[in-house]
Amino acid sequence: MADDASSSSGCAGNLIDNSINQDELIMKQQREIEKEISETIPLVGELEALSSLEKEYNEDPVYLLKVKDLSSKYKYIRRTRPDGNCFFRAFSYAYLEHLLTDKSEFDKFYEIAKNSKEILVALGFSQFTVEDFYETFMEVVQRVGEQAGGSPDSLESVRAELHDKFNKQGYSDYIVVYLRLVTSGQLQTENDFYQNFIEGPRTVTEFCRQEVEPMYKESDHIHIIALSNALNVGVRVKYMDRGEGSQVSKVIAHDFPEGSKPLVHLLYRPGHYDILYA
Amino acid sequence: MAEISEKYNTKCPGVKRLMREAMELAEATEEYCARPLEDNLFEWHFTVQGPKGTDFEGGIYHGRILLPKEYPMHPPHIILLTPNGRFEVNKKICLSISGHHPETWQPSWSIRTALLALIAFMPTPAEGTIGSLDYSPAERKILAKKSVTWACPQCGEISALLSSTAAKPITEEEKSVLNQIAFKAEEEQTAKPPEEPVVEPEPQVLESSEPTNSFLDQLTEILVALLVGAIGIFIYRRWNAHYPASETEL
């Protein structure tokens, strides 16, 4: 009996091992691709005219129609590195940039941001590691606050500073980590509600540990819903994919949370988010 | 600590984080202790107490923690130095999440998380994972006894490194994390490929020239044999053509 049990568990162990080896091979290849991307694409790029999108789709009539539709509402695009963190990076960059010109929104956000750490610690996250990310995040937020609503000249220099910080891996990734934690905190606090969005047998906590908290994990609707609710920030996402039907020439928009006034505008193309500017 | 802050750029998040962790772990506990080397914040030495109620009970195990420059975005590596019968010594092992989600290290975890996970993982079956050893309980118990007198060239007698103070209790969050973490050695393939092409071309040339040589040899042998045969047949025919008459004459 005992022998039977151990040999069958041994088999199960081997199966798991094989799948891990497969996973490892895939991950190794993925890491090589990631390395190449990180060497060629900045974390957050410069402002570009929306027409730069047309060049990408020169021979693609469906997408060209969509770019045309997009250009009726937006003039510029700012690209982000496709490293799985793009939603968080694009969102935080665009929102902080907006806050520079909106002092009352900044004051509202500052209160929410200041209290966010306590929520995470109360949920059981380790105090000193959360504090580490929180401090870097707040350092950048405070720099924005000092200049918010200032003269165009002072805004120009703080914009350059922001751009510089978002392209420094240390700062940039720390901001992403903190927003991932805030997102996870929101999902776990409103556990009952978000459970409905999760496919399969995973609990909200498991989902957070596997899909939200680790770096480089791509964001889905559920991440955007949670973060926009946690920070009470309106986000409009324009979805540009190969959608068919009567809407074929239109780029569909979604606002998060529903009915909110969007302050951040993002362009979604399958697997990736960039920032849009009117 | 003062020396470290002079030497490193404290604006760099990894450095700031590690200095914070060094402070957090400054006091040794009963279960574990860890501190950075005096001259390198990115390499630590640690000591852990073998988990009670297991083959490792009473054992004290010492090792190194190597922190990647991207820490805490990427996980630390652990190298055990004290023979223990569960992990190979002097081999880099890393954390992964057991099951189907390997390498989901989270930046909000810390060196403490890694050490707690290591202690929790020691009694789990080795199951042939790379870097794992499957010693018998008796062998592990002997190693546990021996480990007490083991000394690290840099840190000295390891039994003197732990204290009698209990560590901070494990939180619910940590408990759920610890159950998921597994350890195994890195795939060595990553290190090998660059070496192979350098070493291999020579034997390859030798091997590839040898078969062609022997093939040529064989071919000439066959040709020579055919030629000899043909000449033989030719002479035999000539001989036949000349001598039947003389035979009949005789």
Side-chain angles (χ1 to χ4, degrees), chain A residues 193-219:
Chain A
F193 172 68
Y194 290 106
Q195 185 68 61
N196 304 316
F197 292 80
I198 295 168
E199 287 169 24
R202 280 193 277 187
T203 66
V204 170
T205 314
E206 282 166 346
F207 180 82
C208 287
R209 198 146 294 140
Q210 291 160 6
E211 307 293 339
V212 184
E213 291 163 26
M215 288 293 277
Y216 318 112
K217 286 280 182 182
E218 285 180 17
S219 298

Short mmCIF file of all heavy atoms in Angstrom, two decimals, chain A residues 193-219:
data_model
loop_
_atom_site.label_atom_id
_atom_site.label_comp_id
_atom_site.label_asym_id
_atom_site.label_seq_id
_atom_site.Cartn_x
_atom_site.Cartn_y
_atom_site.Cartn_z
N PHE A 193 -16.95 41.06 -4.82
CA PHE A 193 -17.31 41.63 -6.11
C PHE A 193 -16.39 41.10 -7.21
O PHE A 193 -16.86 40.65 -8.26
CB PHE A 193 -17.22 43.16 -6.02
CG PHE A 193 -17.38 43.87 -7.33
CD1 PHE A 193 -18.60 43.87 -7.99
CD2 PHE A 193 -16.30 44.54 -7.92
CE1 PHE A 193 -18.77 44.52 -9.20
CE2 PHE A 193 -16.44 45.19 -9.14
CZ PHE A 193 -17.69 45.18 -9.77
N TYR A 194 -15.08 41.13 -6.97
CA TYR A 194 -14.13 40.78 -8.03
C TYR A 194 -14.06 39.28 -8.32
O TYR A 194 -13.62 38.88 -9.39
CB TYR A 194 -12.74 41.34 -7.72
CG TYR A 194 -12.69 42.84 -7.84
CD1 TYR A 194 -12.63 43.66 -6.72
CD2 TYR A 194 -12.74 43.46 -9.09
CE1 TYR A 194 -12.60 45.04 -6.82
CE2 TYR A 194 -12.72 44.84 -9.21
CZ TYR A 194 -12.65 45.63 -8.08
OH TYR A 194 -12.63 46.99 -8.20
N GLN A 195 -14.50 38.47 -7.37
CA GLN A 195 -14.49 37.02 -7.59
C GLN A 195 -15.25 36.66 -8.88
O GLN A 195 -14.88 35.76 -9.61
CB GLN A 195 -15.09 36.29 -6.39
CG GLN A 195 -15.01 34.76 -6.47
CD GLN A 195 -13.57 34.25 -6.36
OE1 GLN A 195 -12.89 34.45 -5.38
NE2 GLN A 195 -13.12 33.57 -7.41
N ASN A 196 -16.31 37.45 -9.17
CA ASN A 196 -17.13 37.19 -10.37
C ASN A 196 -16.35 37.36 -11.68
O ASN A 196 -16.73 36.82 -12.71
CB ASN A 196 -18.32 38.15 -10.42
CG ASN A 196 -19.15 38.08 -9.15
OD1 ASN A 196 -19.42 36.98 -8.67
ND2 ASN A 196 -19.50 39.22 -8.59
N PHE A 197 -15.28 38.13 -11.65
CA PHE A 197 -14.51 38.41 -12.86
C PHE A 197 -13.45 37.35 -13.14
O PHE A 197 -12.84 37.34 -14.19
CB PHE A 197 -13.80 39.77 -12.77
CG PHE A 197 -14.70 40.95 -12.75
CD1 PHE A 197 -15.35 41.33 -11.60
CD2 PHE A 197 -14.90 41.68 -13.92
CE1 PHE A 197 -16.19 42.44 -11.59
CE2 PHE A 197 -15.73 42.78 -13.91
CZ PHE A 197 -16.39 43.16 -12.74
N ILE A 198 -13.18 36.54 -12.12
CA ILE A 198 -12.07 35.60 -12.25
C ILE A 198 -12.55 34.27 -12.79
O ILE A 198 -13.43 33.63 -12.20
CB ILE A 198 -11.34 35.44 -10.90
CG1 ILE A 198 -10.70 36.77 -10.52
CG2 ILE A 198 -10.28 34.35 -10.98
CD1 ILE A 198 -10.20 36.83 -9.10
N GLU A 199 -11.97 33.89 -13.92
CA GLU A 199 -12.35 32.61 -14.53
C GLU A 199 -11.64 31.48 -13.82
O GLU A 199 -10.54 31.66 -13.31
CB GLU A 199 -11.97 32.61 -16.01
CG GLU A 199 -12.88 33.50 -16.84
CD GLU A 199 -12.33 33.71 -18.24
OE1 GLU A 199 -11.56 32.86 -18.70
OE2 GLU A 199 -12.68 34.75 -18.84
N GLY A 200 -12.25 30.32 -13.83
CA GLY A 200 -11.61 29.14 -13.25
C GLY A 200 -11.74 29.13 -11.74
O GLY A 200 -12.43 29.96 -11.15
N PRO A 201 -11.04 28.16 -11.11
CA PRO A 201 -11.25 27.94 -9.68
C PRO A 201 -10.39 28.83 -8.78
O PRO A 201 -10.40 28.64 -7.57
CB PRO A 201 -10.84 26.47 -9.52
CG PRO A 201 -9.82 26.25 -10.59
CD PRO A 201 -10.11 27.20 -11.70
N ARG A 202 -9.65 29.78 -9.33
CA ARG A 202 -8.75 30.57 -8.48
C ARG A 202 -9.50 31.51 -7.54
O ARG A 202 -10.51 32.09 -7.93
CB ARG A 202 -7.82 31.42 -9.35
CG ARG A 202 -6.65 30.61 -9.89
CD ARG A 202 -5.61 31.51 -10.47
NE ARG A 202 -5.93 31.89 -11.84
CZ ARG A 202 -5.09 32.57 -12.61
NH1 ARG A 202 -3.91 32.95 -12.14
NH2 ARG A 202 -5.41 32.89 -13.85
N THR A 203 -8.98 31.70 -6.34
CA THR A 203 -9.55 32.70 -5.44
C THR A 203 -8.95 34.05 -5.82
O THR A 203 -7.95 34.12 -6.56
CB THR A 203 -9.19 32.42 -3.98
OG1 THR A 203 -7.77 32.57 -3.83
CG2 THR A 203 -9.59 31.01 -3.56
N VAL A 204 -9.54 35.13 -5.30
CA VAL A 204 -9.03 36.47 -5.59
C VAL A 204 -7.57 36.59 -5.11
O VAL A 204 -6.71 37.13 -5.82
CB VAL A 204 -9.91 37.56 -4.93
CG1 VAL A 204 -9.24 38.91 -5.02
CG2 VAL A 204 -11.28 37.59 -5.60
N THR A 205 -7.29 36.06 -3.93
CA THR A 205 -5.92 36.15 -3.39
C THR A 205 -4.94 35.42 -4.30
O THR A 205 -3.85 35.94 -4.58
CB THR A 205 -5.87 35.55 -1.98
OG1 THR A 205 -6.98 36.05 -1.25
CG2 THR A 205 -4.59 35.92 -1.28
N GLU A 206 -5.31 34.23 -4.75
CA GLU A 206 -4.41 33.48 -5.65
C GLU A 206 -4.19 34.26 -6.95
O GLU A 206 -3.07 34.33 -7.45
CB GLU A 206 -5.01 32.11 -5.97
CG GLU A 206 -4.82 31.10 -4.86
CD GLU A 206 -5.69 29.86 -5.03
OE1 GLU A 206 -6.63 29.88 -5.85
OE2 GLU A 206 -5.43 28.89 -4.32
N PHE A 207 -5.28 34.82 -7.46
CA PHE A 207 -5.18 35.60 -8.69
C PHE A 207 -4.21 36.77 -8.49
O PHE A 207 -3.36 37.03 -9.34
CB PHE A 207 -6.57 36.12 -9.08
CG PHE A 207 -6.57 36.95 -10.33
CD1 PHE A 207 -6.59 36.35 -11.58
CD2 PHE A 207 -6.54 38.34 -10.26
CE1 PHE A 207 -6.58 37.11 -12.74
CE2 PHE A 207 -6.53 39.11 -11.42
CZ PHE A 207 -6.55 38.48 -12.66
N CYS A 208 -4.34 37.45 -7.36
CA CYS A 208 -3.45 38.57 -7.07
C CYS A 208 -1.99 38.13 -7.03
O CYS A 208 -1.11 38.80 -7.56
CB CYS A 208 -3.81 39.22 -5.74
SG CYS A 208 -5.33 40.16 -5.83
N ARG A 209 -1.75 37.01 -6.36
CA ARG A 209 -0.38 36.54 -6.20
C ARG A 209 0.21 36.10 -7.53
O ARG A 209 1.41 36.21 -7.76
CB ARG A 209 -0.36 35.38 -5.21
CG ARG A 209 1.00 35.13 -4.67
CD ARG A 209 0.96 34.67 -3.25
NE ARG A 209 0.48 35.71 -2.37
CZ ARG A 209 -0.35 35.48 -1.34
NH1 ARG A 209 -0.81 34.28 -1.11
NH2 ARG A 209 -0.73 36.48 -0.56
N GLN A 210 -0.62 35.61 -8.44
CA GLN A 210 -0.09 35.09 -9.70
C GLN A 210 -0.16 36.08 -10.86
O GLN A 210 0.68 36.04 -11.75
CB GLN A 210 -0.86 33.81 -10.09
CG GLN A 210 -0.55 32.66 -9.14
CD GLN A 210 -1.61 31.57 -9.17
OE1 GLN A 210 -2.54 31.62 -9.98
NE2 GLN A 210 -1.47 30.59 -8.31
N GLU A 211 -1.16 36.97 -10.85
CA GLU A 211 -1.37 37.82 -12.03
C GLU A 211 -1.25 39.32 -11.76
O GLU A 211 -1.24 40.10 -12.70
CB GLU A 211 -2.77 37.55 -12.64
CG GLU A 211 -3.06 36.09 -12.93
CD GLU A 211 -2.20 35.52 -14.05
OE1 GLU A 211 -1.67 36.31 -14.85
OE2 GLU A 211 -2.04 34.29 -14.09
N VAL A 212 -1.26 39.72 -10.51
CA VAL A 212 -1.25 41.15 -10.23
C VAL A 212 0.08 41.61 -9.60
O VAL A 212 0.72 42.52 -10.11
CB VAL A 212 -2.43 41.56 -9.30
CG1 VAL A 212 -2.44 43.07 -9.11
CG2 VAL A 212 -3.75 41.07 -9.86
N GLU A 213 0.47 40.94 -8.51
CA GLU A 213 1.65 41.40 -7.78
C GLU A 213 2.98 41.16 -8.50
O GLU A 213 3.86 42.02 -8.44
CB GLU A 213 1.67 40.77 -6.38
CG GLU A 213 0.55 41.31 -5.50
CD GLU A 213 0.29 40.42 -4.28
OE1 GLU A 213 1.21 39.73 -3.84
OE2 GLU A 213 -0.85 40.44 -3.78
N PRO A 214 3.17 40.03 -9.19
CA PRO A 214 4.47 39.86 -9.86
C PRO A 214 4.67 40.87 -10.99
O PRO A 214 3.71 41.19 -11.70
CB PRO A 214 4.42 38.44 -10.42
CG PRO A 214 3.31 37.76 -9.71
CD PRO A 214 2.32 38.85 -9.36
N MET A 215 5.90 41.32 -11.15
CA MET A 215 6.21 42.24 -12.25
C MET A 215 6.02 41.51 -13.58
O MET A 215 6.06 40.28 -13.64
CB MET A 215 7.67 42.67 -12.16
CG MET A 215 7.96 43.63 -11.03
SD MET A 215 7.17 45.22 -11.27
CE MET A 215 8.36 46.05 -12.34
N TYR A 216 5.89 42.26 -14.64
CA TYR A 216 5.87 41.77 -16.03
C TYR A 216 4.61 40.97 -16.38
O TYR A 216 4.50 40.42 -17.47
CB TYR A 216 7.12 40.92 -16.36
CG TYR A 216 8.39 41.52 -15.81
CD1 TYR A 216 9.10 40.90 -14.78
CD2 TYR A 216 8.87 42.74 -16.30
CE1 TYR A 216 10.25 41.47 -14.25
CE2 TYR A 216 10.02 43.31 -15.77
CZ TYR A 216 10.71 42.68 -14.75
OH TYR A 216 11.85 43.24 -14.23
N LYS A 217 3.65 40.88 -15.44
CA LYS A 217 2.40 40.18 -15.76
C LYS A 217 1.45 41.18 -16.40
O LYS A 217 1.22 42.26 -15.87
CB LYS A 217 1.77 39.62 -14.48
CG LYS A 217 2.50 38.41 -13.94
CD LYS A 217 2.10 37.18 -14.70
CE LYS A 217 2.80 35.96 -14.11
NZ LYS A 217 2.47 34.76 -14.87
N GLU A 218 0.91 40.80 -17.55
CA GLU A 218 0.07 41.74 -18.31
C GLU A 218 -1.25 42.05 -17.61
O GLU A 218 -1.76 41.23 -16.86
CB GLU A 218 -0.21 41.15 -19.69
CG GLU A 218 1.00 41.26 -20.59
CD GLU A 218 0.75 40.69 -21.97
OE1 GLU A 218 -0.42 40.51 -22.35
OE2 GLU A 218 1.74 40.44 -22.67
N SER A 219 -1.77 43.23 -17.90
CA SER A 219 -3.01 43.66 -17.26
C SER A 219 -4.21 43.38 -18.15
O SER A 219 -4.15 43.50 -19.36
CB SER A 219 -2.96 45.16 -16.98
OG SER A 219 -1.91 45.42 -16.11
#
